[in-house]
Amino acid sequence: MDDQTGMDEQTGTGPTGTGAPDTDRPPLPQAAELPGGRARPKTGKSEQTRALIMATAMRLFQERGYEKTTMRAIATEAGISVGNAYYYFAAKEFLIQGFYDQMTHEHAADARQRMAHTRDFAERLQIALESWLDTAAPYHEFAAQFFRTAADPSSSLSPFSNESHPARATAVALFHEVLTGSELAPKLDAELADLLPEVLWLHLMVVVLYWVFDRTPDTERTREFVRRSTPMAARVINLSRYRVFRPIVRDAKGLIQDFILPTIGRTATPRTDPAK
């Protein structure tokens, strides 16, 4: 079987379990790695090979399921050597990182195009969330399978890990645009406005969690959740600009900075003294 003849995808050991590398798999040079053990493309051909591996993996995940798809099967379908596949992705699990990267860039481009016509904050936020659902729709059937790996808080593949920072940074940047491109941005407390993009990304993570386990046609319950929760979130954020709510806003900001942001790899914001 593939898992016995090739490199063990969980432990990085050979078929004997002794730690000796599979001869198909060359060592990964440190200078050629991205976070998560991914090779850094150096040429157009390298980028094409990496994209081919990703596209093949996504197709096989959809056809066979994540658990039943091996790195050897992906390499065979892509017409490349197993060693070449491992050069770009250190193990099958790291394809999830590639998936994150691909998804977030596709989502950001689609959302920017859709929300270009409006400055209403609530509408822009809803567009961004619905755009994610549309972008992710083709992958819904196998999402729950790899979510078990990504949901482990100690895993480098968690959306909250340091290794997931590039994809997360792309998403947070999009939510920064959601806010700054709206009519609401100039009216908000500057410190709160700085935190909001990451808070809005956390809201997206709640939507993603609901979406993963949603089995309604076209994930309609998740879409309804977005339609109903987005105006509520927008109203709460809008109310924060009024002076009477300023003490509550500062308390909420302190909780976010002290307890939420420190759990997100490489995005924590230093605590600012309210007295300054």
Side-chain angles (χ1 to χ4, degrees):
M1 293 178 65
D2 290 333
D3 289 333
Q4 294 175 331
T5 57
M7 178 68 71
D8 184 278
E9 293 163 2
Q10 294 289 341
T11 65
T13 62
T16 62
T18 62
D22 191 313
T23 54
D24 282 334
R25 179 180 177 183
L28 292 173
Q30 293 299 316
E33 289 182 351
L34 289 171
R38 296 165 290 157
R40 184 185 301 277
K42 295 181 179 179
T43 66
K45 184 177 180 180
S46 296
E47 185 59 51
Q48 289 175 4
T49 301
R50 188 176 187 278
L52 172 63
I53 296 170
M54 273 296 303
T56 303
M58 292 301 105
R59 176 172 60 81
L60 292 181
F61 290 162
Q62 289 175 290
E63 294 174 359
R64 307 178 185 182
Y66 176 75
E67 297 294 342
K68 294 181 180 179
T69 302
T70 65
M71 286 292 284
R72 186 173 294 276
I74 293 169
T76 300
E77 287 286 323
I80 63 174
S81 70
V82 177
N84 206 13
Y86 275 120
Y87 177 78
Y88 288 94
F89 298 94
K92 183 178 70 173
E93 289 77 10
F94 290 115
L95 284 159
I96 298 175
Q97 286 287 3
F99 174 74
Y100 288 164
D101 293 342
Q102 176 180 299
M103 272 280 302
T104 51
H105 282 92
E106 290 178 1
H107 167 223
D110 180 71
R112 289 187 184 104
Q113 183 176 13
R114 292 193 194 188
M115 65 185 183
H117 68 281
T118 180
R119 296 191 69 243
D120 180 79
F121 173 71
E123 187 175 353
R124 288 172 68 85
L125 179 57
Q126 182 165 332
I127 287 172
L129 296 174
E130 290 179 343
S131 170
W132 189 93
L133 293 175
D134 291 338
T135 304
Y139 312 107
H140 184 256
E141 288 302 316
F142 67 87
Q145 298 177 46
F146 64 71
F147 180 77
R148 284 176 293 184
T149 300
D152 182 353
S154 64
S155 171
S156 63
L157 304 182
S158 164
F160 298 90
S161 70
N162 285 339
E163 289 80 3
S164 296
H165 173 71
R168 185 171 59 250
T170 300
V172 171
L174 171 64
F175 285 111
H176 181 264
E177 293 179 37
V178 169
L179 178 63
T180 57
S182 73
E183 87 295 344
L184 182 60
K187 305 173 185 177
L188 294 179
D189 177 273
E191 292 183 25
L192 179 63
D194 286 342
L195 291 176
L196 270 178
E198 286 176 304
V199 174
L200 295 176
W201 176 79
L202 289 171
H203 179 57
L204 172 62
M205 291 299 98
V206 174
V207 172
V208 171
L209 179 62
Y210 197 95
W211 172 85
V212 164
F213 297 103
D214 186 358
R215 290 296 176 262
T216 58
D218 195 30
T219 58
E220 181 54 39
R221 284 187 64 83
T222 306
R223 294 177 183 276
E224 182 62 20
F225 175 76
V226 168
R227 285 191 289 268
R228 292 175 61 176
S229 66
T230 301
M232 293 174 58
R235 282 197 295 270
V236 171
I237 293 170
N238 187 54
L239 286 173
S240 72
R241 65 193 177 95
Y242 294 106
R243 187 174 297 277
V244 66
F245 294 107
R246 196 59 57 84
I248 298 175
V249 170
R250 290 199 176 276
D251 287 344
K253 180 172 69 69
L255 285 172
I256 292 169
Q257 288 179 313
D258 291 343
F259 293 98
I260 297 178
L261 294 186
T263 68
I264 304 176
R266 291 177 60 184
T267 61
T269 303
R271 179 71 183 271
T272 302
D273 186 350
K276 292 183 180 180

